[in-house]
């Protein structure tokens, strides 16, 4: 049947459907004193004593039969506790060889009532049909020895087996009779990786590491396998796992020197692993403790294998201690133990000679019962039978071992109702149907019955533990009878309370018996969300940021709904509740439940409009919230106050029908401070900001606007987060702007309102005035009016100020522009035209003093300190200079150095470079305008030389083609020649510039030419060097003769001049003249020379 065993305080209470309280062995038995014990007996021989382990642990079938899995035996052992007898079931041939001594490691009762064997060295899973005792094998053959060490039934009704030598988790599906592998090939390594599997309260499965260096974690919902922790190397570290009353799993130390603690749901929501409990207390050594059992007081007792004493763990205190007498030095004393209904722990002997009994309430530890001999591993495990007896499963022993439960003293009891578990949902009708247990004493069901709920952890006998759940009647004494004799208790509609699966259902026959004779019928589960209330776990959402509400609770597996209503209005479930409305927010919103039903997430959207403030979150389950058409019907269905939500952001005006859906309008004047004041809830000076953007079809998607004088993005200027300062606009008539509020970076924009800047248009071209010429300024503005005010704001009160020095800001003081005009100007009648007078320059000195740049600043009122709008610059120029028309010049005859543009006139002190047509060059590189005079006054455009010059006897001069005016082309002459000069381009023609090394008399027609040399002619005296054009030499005559008709020879372009000459002999002897002096000096005179007497 459906056993429910509950530990409450000092009592172990078991409810079994169909059992009565007659002789009361089950319903409400108390822990027995140490003197009361089970009667021990040996059953008939079932097999000869063996040196091979025969069977492993057993599972209790619904039929009341225990089935033990074969280890070395040839078949399954069927144990009948009431007769202390057993038989071996025949079936398919099981494993042989090495596999024959380790066939199956564990037995698991499946959801179909069959018992399944976990294959160790066997190649297939084993199934026992407990109705017919037929044994079958199924699943693909998986070879290998010692593959899987243990298995447990998961929350999805499949069996999960942890690997020893296998490299994967084995998954057995009873519904389809198939097996599959998880994390196949990923879990290799150690010999005996994990030895035991435990199902945690959250449905996750954890494997206890023996040789493995980490805990094995199987998420049944996500179907994932992973390892947790870094527990180091070593063999046999932990031998078994026990689920504590605190929901944590504790590993029994084998060779480890600390208890392993696995928290399935740590503070961060993920499992955690710790191996520090008992460090310094637990000694070293291998396989110290074999097994563990949790006692009703919450402490865990470790069964000694090689250790000499029992180890007791107190999870609440996090301490361990060795207790009891020494149990000897044998290395394998005991196997598995269990907690019997008398409150004592009984341990199956391995090498021990008797059963070990541990009484947690007294601390008594002793060997009890029949002497069982000194053989090794006599019994592999103890199993609790349906009649309350403890059965020993033979390992090497030849007989069953039975421990019969003690008789319970007391009077016969009336039959209580059948045990039941009730599940109710917040916001839904809740009822409990009680029926009488068949057989036994007379039924106690009747109109005087009392039913009530006890909070998690409480006891039915404790009146202070009664649960208070608004909407539910507890205790409830009113019930309705049915034709079958059952009673229906209408408990009401729970609307508040802590969802939990651990409430107790308590019953008493009458109100008088509540204090002395109560029955604990089962568990009450309250489904729904845990409240998130303001001041604690309330929800905070910001305008412009995605709003998500995460609910936690119990069994939120169905789609849930939330609706937002005003907290100041009627409560959840009222038809008059005020439903909130936001642009961008789904209301109501549907939640998406987590896979395990422990939570649901409602993505409500991004609030862009609506009223910030406090709201209630009203919850309903999908089946109640939706009508047949899928629409949300009435507000009464949302009766559960699941929490409080506050929206923070700016308060927008009404749009005429709904508050919070309008747009604010900000109007600023050019030249005045542009500030925004807004209201709201939860505004932040650190994170909020307002941006000015171009209006767009989708609000706040346009680009940021750069308005002169204003910042386009402003943070709050005060700690309240309500004031924003954009600066002072230096231009007006700016419209079509959006004010966009942001809660923080990367948030969506909230379209808060619009912005218009009134005043004249700014940013236009600067104003230029010339001396001796009237000067005026005409302002413009955008057309139309807003709220009766013209956008330009023009009027007689306007004023214009001139600020000196070309300042970029209007903060400087006004200045007197020139003698005939003050620094402040009034407009014409229409308010748009300002006459700045005629600046006259009597002479250059006066003109020079007032020329320059000024700043034009405008004020709507003319009051001091209001001239904040910067209209632009005023530049006062002297009379300009026109550039004269020149033949072959470009139409715009000069390029301005100031603007780099082609111009036909210059301002004062402006320079330009003359511009000529193609193939022409200006005669002046720069023109300058000074007080109306151009220097130089004009220029010429001179043509370039487009052809190469012709040079007699010269080399190629094609590189000179295209040279501009006044650029030289050096002559290129062959070796042995000399150039006549160089060529210079002059207005399209080549001009010859003579070589200064050649005398003018030696030039021939002043044309470019390469003059040839004469070499070393024989007609020149000996030693004469090579003659170049223009060089001379003395003529050469033989035998002392001299040239009579040429004193020198001239080289002219390769020819000597004269080409010939006459040689005459010299007078060798001195002349003889009478009465003359000595004439010997005359001897040797050349022909034609005179000798003076």
């Amino acid at each position: 049947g459906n056993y429910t065993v509950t530990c409450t305080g000092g009592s172990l209470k078991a409810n079994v459907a169909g059992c009565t309280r007659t002789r009361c062995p089950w319903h409400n038995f108390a822990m027995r004193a140490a003197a009361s014990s089970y009667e021990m007996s040996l059953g008939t021989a079932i097999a000869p004593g063996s040196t091979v382990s025969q069977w492993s642990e057993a599972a209790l079938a619904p039929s009341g039969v225990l089935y033990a899995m074969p280890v070395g035996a040839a078949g399954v052992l069927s144990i009948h506790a009431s007769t202390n007898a057993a038989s071996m079931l025949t079936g398919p041939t099981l494993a042989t060889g090495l596999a024959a001594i380790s066939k199956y490691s564990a037995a698991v009762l499946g959801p179909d009532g069959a018992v399944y064997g976990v294959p160790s060295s066997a190649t297939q899973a084993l199934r026992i049909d407990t109705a017919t005792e037929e044994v079958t094998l199924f699943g693909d053959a998986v070879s290998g020895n010692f593959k899987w060490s243990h298995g447990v039934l998961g929350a999805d009704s499949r069996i999960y087996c942890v690997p020893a030598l296998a490299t994967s988790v084995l998954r057995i599906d009873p519904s389809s009779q198939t097996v599959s592998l998880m994390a196949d090939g990923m879990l290799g390594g150690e010999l005996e990786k994990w030895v035991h599997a435990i199902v945690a309260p959250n449905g996750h499965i954890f494997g206890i590491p023996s040789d493995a260096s980490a805990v094995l974690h199987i998420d049944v919902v996500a179907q994932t396998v992973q390892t947790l922790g870094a527990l180091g190397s070593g063999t046999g570290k932990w031998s078994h796992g026990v689920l504590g009353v605190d929901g944590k799993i504790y590993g029994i130390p084998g060779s480890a020197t600390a208890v392993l603690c696995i928290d399935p749901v740590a503070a961060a929501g993920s499992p955690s692993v710790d191996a520090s409990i008992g460090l310094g207390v637990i000694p070293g050594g291998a396989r110290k403790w074999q097994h563990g059992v949790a006692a009703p007081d919450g402490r865990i007792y470790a069964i000694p294998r090689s250790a000499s004493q029992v180890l007791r763990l107190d999870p609440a205190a996090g301490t361990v201690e060795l207790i009891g007498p020494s149990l000897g030095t044998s290395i394998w004393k005991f196997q598995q133990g269990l907690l019997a209904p008398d409150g004592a722990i009984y341990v199956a002997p391995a090498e021990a000679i008797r059963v070990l009994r541990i009484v947690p309430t007294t601390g008594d530890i002793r060997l009890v019962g029949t002497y069982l001999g000194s053989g090794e591993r006599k019994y592999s495990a103890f199993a609790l039978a349906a009649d309350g007896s403890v059965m020993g499963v033979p390992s090497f022993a030849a007989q069953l071992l039975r421990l019969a439960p003690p008789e319970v003293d007391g009077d016969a009891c009336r039959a209580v109702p059948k045990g039941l578990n009730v599940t109710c949902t917040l916001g839904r009708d809740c009822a409990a149907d009680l029926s009488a247990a068949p057989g036994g004493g007379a039924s106690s069901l009747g109109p005087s019955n009392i039913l009530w709920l006890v909070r998690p952890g409480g006891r039915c006998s404790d009146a202070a533990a009664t649960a208070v759940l608004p909407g539910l009647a507890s205790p409830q004494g009113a019930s309705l009878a049915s034709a079958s004799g059952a009673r229906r208790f209408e408990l009401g509609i729970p609307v508040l309370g802590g969802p939990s699966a651990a409430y107790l259902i308590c019953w008493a026959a009458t109100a008088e018996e509540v204090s002395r004779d109560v029955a604990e019928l089962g568990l009450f589960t309250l489904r729904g969300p845990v409240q998130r209330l303001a001041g604690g776990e309330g929800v905070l959402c910001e305008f412009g940021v995605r709003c998500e509400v995460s609910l936690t609770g119990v069994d939120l597996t169905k789609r849930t709904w939330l609706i937002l209503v005003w907290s100041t209005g009627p409560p959840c479930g009222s038809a008059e509740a005020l439903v909130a409305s936001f642009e961008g927010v789904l209301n109501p919103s549907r939640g998406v439940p987590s896979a395990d039903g422990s939570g649901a997430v409602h993505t409500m959207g991004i609030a862009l409009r609506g009223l910030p403030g406090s709201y209630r979150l009203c919850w309903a389950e999908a089946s109640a919230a939706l009508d047949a058409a899928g629409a949300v019907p009435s507000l009464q269905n949302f009766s559960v106050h699941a929490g409080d939500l506050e929206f923070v952001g700016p308060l927008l005006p009404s749009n005429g029908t709904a508050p919070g859906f309008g747009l604010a309008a900000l109007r600023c004047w050019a030249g005045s401070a542009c500030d925004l004041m807004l209201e709201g809830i939860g505004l932040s000076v650190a994170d909020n900001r307002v941006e000015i953007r171009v209006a767009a079809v989708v609000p706040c998607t346009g680009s940021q606007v750069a308005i002169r004088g204003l910042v386009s993005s402003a943070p709050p200027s005060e700690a309240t987060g309500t004031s924003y300062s954009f600066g002072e606009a230096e231009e007006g008539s700016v419209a079509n702007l959006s004010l966009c509020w942001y809660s923080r970076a990367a948030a969506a924009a909230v379209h808060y309102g619009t912005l218009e800047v009134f005043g004249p248009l700014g940013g236009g071209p600067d104003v230029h005035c010339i001396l001796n010429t009237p000067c005026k300024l005409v302002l413009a503005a955008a057309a139309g009016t807003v709220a009766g005010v013209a956008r330009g704001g023009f009027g007689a009160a306007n004023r214009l100020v001139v600020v000196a020095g070309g300042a970029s800001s209007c903060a400087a003081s006004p200045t007197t522009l020139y003698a005939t005009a003050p620094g402040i100007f009034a407009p014409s009648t229409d308010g748009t035209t300002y006459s700045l007078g005629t600046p006259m320059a009597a002479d250059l000195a006066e003109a020079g003093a007032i020329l320059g740049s000024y700043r034009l600043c405008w004020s709507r009122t003319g009051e001091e300190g209001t001239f904040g709008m910067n209209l632009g610059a005023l530049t006062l120029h002297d009379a300009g200079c026109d550039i004269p028309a020149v033949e072959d010049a470009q139409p715009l005859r000069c390029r301005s150095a100031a603007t780099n543009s082609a111009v036909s006139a210059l301002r004062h002190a402006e320079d330009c470079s003359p511009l000529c047509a193609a193939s022409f060059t200006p005669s002046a590189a720069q023109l300058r305008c000074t007080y109306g005079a151009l220097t130089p006054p004009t220029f010429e455009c001179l043509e370039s030389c487009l052809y190469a010059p012709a040079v007699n006897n010269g080399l190629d001069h094609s590189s000179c083609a295209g040279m501009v005016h006044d650029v030289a082309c050096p002559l290129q002459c062959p070796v042995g020649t000399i150039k006549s000069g160089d060529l210079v381009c002059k207005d399209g023609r080549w001009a010859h510039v003579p070589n200064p090394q050649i005398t003018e008399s030696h030039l021939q027609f002043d044309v470019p030419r390469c003059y040839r040399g004469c070499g070393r002619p024989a007609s020149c005296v000996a030693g004469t060097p090579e003659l170049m054009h223009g060089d001379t030499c003395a003529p050469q005559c033989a035998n002392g003769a001299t040239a009579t008709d040429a004193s020198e020879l001239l080289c002219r372009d390769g020819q000597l001049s004269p080409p010939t000459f006459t040689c005459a002999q010299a007078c060798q002897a001195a002349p003889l003249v009478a009465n003359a002096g000595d004439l010997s000096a005359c001897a040797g005179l050349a022909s034609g020379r005179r000798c003076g007497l």
Side-chain angles (χ1 to χ4, degrees), residues 268-279:
S270 300
S272 67
V273 176
D274 175 70
S276 62
I277 299 176
L279 284 175

Side-chain angles (χ1 to χ4, degrees), residues 955-1033:
L955 300 177
D956 181 26
H957 288 78
S958 60
S959 62
C960 294
M963 285 186 171
V964 300
H965 171 77
D966 220 22
V967 175
C969 173
L971 263 61
Q972 306 294 321
C973 292
V975 176
T977 64
I978 187 170
K979 65 181 181 180
S980 62
D982 290 314
L983 296 175
V984 176
C985 181
K986 294 293 185 179
D987 197 15
R989 290 173 173 74
W990 294 108
H992 183 241
V993 179
N995 186 345
Q997 297 178 354
I998 301 177
T999 61
E1000 183 176 354
S1001 61
H1002 293 164
L1003 291 175
Q1004 298 181 354
F1005 309 111
D1006 196 21
V1007 296
R1009 185 180 186 87
C1010 292
Y1011 292 109
R1012 292 169 293 180
C1014 297
R1016 292 187 178 88
S1019 54
C1020 289
V1021 296
T1024 300
E1026 265 190 54
L1027 296 182
M1028 300 298 293
H1029 174 77
D1031 291 343
T1032 60
C1033 69

Side-chain angles (χ1 to χ4, degrees), residues 1069-1080 1082 1091-1093:
L1072 298 175
V1073 179
N1075 301 319
D1078 183 10
L1079 296 174
S1080 58
C1082 295
C1091 175
L1093 293 178

Side-chain angles (χ1 to χ4, degrees), residues 1060-1090:
T1060 61
F1061 56 89
T1062 303
C1063 292
Q1065 288 292 325
C1067 295
Q1068 300 296 329
L1072 298 175
V1073 179
N1075 301 319
D1078 183 10
L1079 296 174
S1080 58
C1082 295
L1085 283 176
S1087 173
R1089 300 288 301 276
R1090 291 182 179 185

Side-chain angles (χ1 to χ4, degrees), residues 884 886-889 893 913-916 920-927 936-943 964-966 987:
V886 174
E887 185 179 1
D888 296 322
R893 298 176 287 278
S913 301
L915 300 174
C916 293
F920 288 86
T921 303
S923 60
Q926 180 174 287
L927 304 180
T938 189
F939 65 95
E940 293 180 281
C941 287
L942 303 172
E943 189 176 6
V964 300
H965 171 77
D966 220 22
D987 197 15

Side-chain angles (χ1 to χ4, degrees), residues 732-807:
S733 294
V734 184
N736 296 321
L737 302 178
S738 293
L739 293 173
C740 304
W741 182 90
Y742 296 84
S743 64
R744 47 192 163 97
V750 174
H751 189 197
Y752 180 78
T754 60
L755 169 66
E756 284 200 77
V757 182
F758 284 57
L761 291 170
D766 292 340
V767 179
H768 294 273
C769 292
I770 302 174
L771 290 178
N772 305 325
T773 304
C775 182
K776 71 176 181 178
L777 170 65
V778 179
L779 301 181
T785 61
V786 176
V789 179
R791 284 193 167 92
F794 296 137
N798 301 167
R799 291 295 183 268
L800 184 70
V801 161
V802 178
V803 176

